[in-house]
Amino acid sequence: MGSEDKTQRQMAFSSAIVALLTVTVLVPAVQGYSTGAPPGACTEMYPNHRMNHENASLPDERYTSQNLSTAPYSITASVMGNGKVKVMLRTNPSTKYWEGVLLQARLQGTDAPVGMWEGITDTNIQTRDCPGGKKNAITHKSEKKTYTLDVTWIPPASPANMTVVFRGTFVEEFEEFWVGLESQAYPVNAYVSAGVPMRALTTVLTGTALLATIALMF
């Protein structure tokens, strides 16, 4: 019996070693960006969350986005009197959170970010320079759980009148994220200089022209 017990223990130990090695080979490494979305994500807004198999013969796999109809987030906006836009990100229910985010404003029907972000008070949020602009996207700095965010967006100087949507990607966990969640469309006016939105400038110019016309009549 002693010899048989020893043999069984050796076989059990060998099986455990094989199982451990198998798990080591099959469990994939993962890739992601815990310090914010890279500029390469600006167009698709898709996280580069991949499983890298140790077996070189297996292709890397990119995790896929969850259905947007299930997204526990919302993006709303409010045009302020100075022509800037307050953009609000919320979770629903309030117990949900995100650990990663990428947010842009786009002219309706286009895929390039426009305008510029400011008024960032959350220390876990930073601006990102996407191709074609400066500070035209915002993203996270770490994987800190976030439940709400208010930021300010400044419209571009042209066109004079535009319709924009705010588009965001939210990451709850490495394998669970939602790509391209959009707000409703918002009509906004161009912002041509500090504190002077296009609508106000047009009013000033029209008034000036009217006064000049009246002066010429006398």
Side-chain angles (χ1 to χ4, degrees), residues 124-210:
N124 191 46
I125 295 295
Q126 61 187 322
T127 58
R128 180 72 79 215
D129 296 343
C130 286
K134 294 289 185 181
K135 299 182 178 180
N136 53 3
I138 62 172
T139 188
H140 56 285
K141 288 183 179 179
S142 71
E143 295 176 341
K144 174 186 174 183
K145 292 181 180 179
T146 305
Y147 302 86
T148 180
L149 178 66
D150 292 348
V151 286
T152 300
W153 176 74
I154 304 175
S158 64
N161 302 291
M162 66 196 83
T163 301
V164 299
V165 294
F166 297 97
R167 193 169 197 266
T169 289
F170 297 83
V171 178
E172 182 175 348
E173 301 290 347
F174 189 86
E175 300 176 19
E176 191 168 11
F177 52 84
W178 290 262
V179 174
L181 181 67
E182 292 188 347
S183 70
Q184 69 179 59
Y186 292 91
V188 298
N189 298 301
Y191 196 87
V192 294
S193 65
V196 184
M198 177 64 77
R199 180 171 52 191
L201 181 61
T202 300
T203 301
V204 171
L205 292 177
T206 301
T208 302
L210 179 60

Side-chain angles (χ1 to χ4, degrees), residues 12 15 17 26 35 73 94 107 141 172 185 204 211:
S15 298
I17 293 298
L26 294 180
T35 58
Y73 311 106
S94 58
L107 298 181
K141 288 183 179 179
E172 182 175 348
V204 171
L211 288 175

Side-chain angles (χ1 to χ4, degrees), residues 9 22 33 38 50 61 69 78 128 145 148 154 159 180 192 212:
R9 287 197 299 269
T22 301
Y33 295 91
R50 296 178 177 271
E61 297 179 41
S69 64
S78 175
R128 180 72 79 215
K145 292 181 180 179
T148 180
I154 304 175
V192 294

Side-chain angles (χ1 to χ4, degrees), residues 10-27:
Q10 289 175 337
M11 291 178 63
F13 179 76
S14 298
S15 298
I17 293 298
V18 171
L20 178 61
L21 292 174
T22 301
V23 169
T24 302
V25 171
L26 294 180
V27 171

